[in-house]
Amino acid sequence: MSAQVAPLDASEIQDRLLELPDWTADGDRLRRSYRFDRHFQGAAMVVHIAQIQEELGHHAELTLGYNQLTITVNTHSVGGRITYLDFGLARRIEEVAAGHGAR
């Protein structure tokens, strides 16, 4: 098993969360919710995230409501634990969020 897909321990997770202040560890998942002024902004961000996920070969659960998008992610291949892959996806999502009006 490569280090990239090895589960992270609680200390490593907390250290990495310092780089993503609006993300939290919720059990064995990373979680973040974004709010939007309009539903279409959230829908457009979902499509953008789907594109990133295909590029990375790593996928999150996306829940879109009227003006809120909630993302949860973990790595299924290691029993649903948090890995570097999850943090990589979270960082990529953060990079595109502002462009969609997410806050």
Side-chain angles (χ1 to χ4, degrees):
M1 180 180 309
S2 76
Q4 190 172 26
V5 294
L8 300 175
D9 65 33
S11 175
E12 291 171 311
I13 292 168
Q14 291 308 310
D15 287 347
R16 300 223 173 324
L17 283 172
L18 294 174
E19 301 167 10
L20 297 165
D22 294 317
W23 288 77
T24 60
D26 183 9
D28 281 337
R29 296 176 175 272
L30 294 182
R31 177 180 301 272
R32 167 84 153 90
S33 290
Y34 295 94
R35 297 194 61 76
F36 303 89
D37 291 332
R38 296 185 348 253
H39 177 74
F40 187 79
Q41 293 171 299
M45 186 164 157
V46 166
V47 172
H48 200 161
I49 292 170
Q51 191 175 36
I52 292 167
Q53 292 176 138
E54 287 298 305
E55 177 187 321
L56 296 178
H58 190 58
H59 301 80
E61 292 181 20
L62 309 174
T63 305
L64 179 62
Y66 171 69
N67 67 344
Q68 182 171 310
L69 171 62
T70 300
I71 302 164
T72 59
V73 63
N74 62 11
T75 303
H76 300 286
S77 64
V78 294
R81 305 272 309 277
I82 298 171
T83 69
Y84 289 109
L85 292 174
D86 305 310
F87 279 98
L89 178 56
R91 276 191 294 281
R92 292 286 303 276
I93 292 169
E94 283 294 302
E95 289 171 3
V96 303
H100 292 283
R103 57 186 189 283

